[in-house]
Amino acid sequence: GGSLHLVPDGEKFSHELIYTILTYSATKIVIGTRAKGLFLFDGASAAPFRTDADSLLIKNQIYNGTMLPDGNFALATVRGGVIIIDKYGRLQKILDESSGLQDNTVLFAFSDAQYGMWLALNNGITRVEIASPLTIFTEQAGIKSYVQSMIRHNGRLYVATGVGVYYLDLPSLRNVASPAEFKPVSGIATQCWSFVSIGNSLLVATGDGVYKNEGDRGTLIQKQGASSFLWRSNR
């Protein structure tokens, strides 16, 4: 009717900065505040929306948000990239500089029709393929130098590089939002060429000789001037 009216319980936000309002359901909306995190409003009252990311959202300051095609909420922040939660408040993923963003300040988020998410950053624009089954691991993920060979041994992925062996450390079930990263296998700091998996043992051909890798540590078992490749005979 051409005028503004205070909604029920709206005075609760009289001293709060509101940065995003998103649809939660047919009868509820999510309200994102700067200092007190998220609230659920049902048209009659507003109650805190408790999530696994409450401390992160307050610390990093909500600036914008969007709903993703799968029903999750992507919350853009001033200091911590994008924090993604589901409708139950469970933390799903954090997108920040460690996962490939060129900046942790995200000023706007938009979900497109191809299941991608566009982010307006402090120093550029990024499109994130949220639904992609592929992951690109670069130096930001911990891999140093070129990759010469790869192998999956005892359920863990190892890569041979020009400066040693790395293994992929996946986030735990309790901390799914942490990015997967490659960590160095201690004891191997030379050019590495190839692997051979024999039972529970993983052998590595390197410039110093042959190493036996056990978990996150390698031990030199055959020293020689130069190594090429290892292979396993079928006989």
Side-chain angles (χ1 to χ4, degrees):
S3 61
L4 296 174
H5 298 273
L6 184 67
V7 300
D9 210 21
E11 67 276 1
K12 181 176 291 184
F13 303 99
S14 60
H15 299 291
E16 297 297 330
L17 294 174
I18 296 175
Y19 276 80
T20 188
I21 296 178
L22 303 170
T23 299
Y24 183 84
S25 67
T27 59
K28 295 181 180 180
I29 59 174
V30 176
I31 300 173
T33 69
R34 172 60 59 88
K36 293 186 177 180
L38 302 176
F39 288 81
L40 276 179
F41 180 69
D42 61 5
S45 63
F49 178 20
R50 301 300 183 192
T51 76
D52 295 339
D54 287 347
S55 60
L56 290 173
L57 294 172
I58 293 173
K59 174 185 176 182
N60 294 310
Q61 300 184 341
I62 296 174
Y63 200 87
N64 192 251
T66 188
M67 177 177 279
L68 301 176
D70 58 6
N72 289 340
F73 300 104
L75 301 164
T77 71
V78 175
R79 299 190 181 110
V82 176
I83 298 171
I84 299 176
I85 62 173
D86 66 15
K87 298 188 74 171
Y88 301 99
R90 296 176 298 203
L91 183 59
Q92 300 298 301
K93 187 177 294 186
I94 297 176
L95 302 173
D96 55 16
E97 288 182 353
S98 67
S99 57
L101 291 187
Q102 63 265 41
D103 191 81
N104 278 337
T105 299
V106 183
L107 304 175
F108 195 85
F110 172 78
S111 182
D112 66 23
Q114 288 75 40
Y115 303 103
M117 180 171 61
W118 292 84
L119 304 176
L121 308 179
N122 199 40
N123 64 344
I125 298 174
T126 291
R127 185 179 185 273
V128 183
E129 295 185 7
I130 293 292
S132 174
L134 304 177
T135 301
I136 299 175
F137 294 108
T138 64
E139 189 169 322
Q140 290 177 307
I143 299 177
K144 310 299 180 184
S145 187
Y146 59 88
V147 175
Q148 181 69 38
S149 181
M150 303 172 63
I151 193 171
R152 190 174 295 279
H153 175 76
N154 285 345
R156 177 178 280 180
L157 182 66
Y158 293 88
V159 297
T161 77
V163 294
V165 175
Y166 291 81
Y167 67 92
L168 181 60
D169 186 30
L170 295 172
S172 67
L173 293 176
R174 293 184 178 181
N175 193 18
V176 296
S178 297
E181 61 179 329
F182 280 86
K183 295 183 177 180
V185 171
S186 62
I188 306 178
T190 185
Q191 287 180 305
C192 299
W193 309 110
S194 61
F195 298 103
V196 166
S197 178
I198 304 176
N200 290 324
S201 299
L202 179 62
L203 303 182
V204 189
T206 79
D208 293 338
V210 178
Y211 281 80
K212 180 181 180 181
N213 184 85
E214 295 176 308
D216 57 0
R217 182 169 183 79
T219 304
L220 185 64
I221 61 173
Q222 179 66 49
K223 186 176 182 179
Q224 59 191 66
S227 295
S228 54
F229 290 89
L230 288 168
W231 71 92
R232 185 175 182 177
S233 172
N234 292 324
R235 294 184 179 181

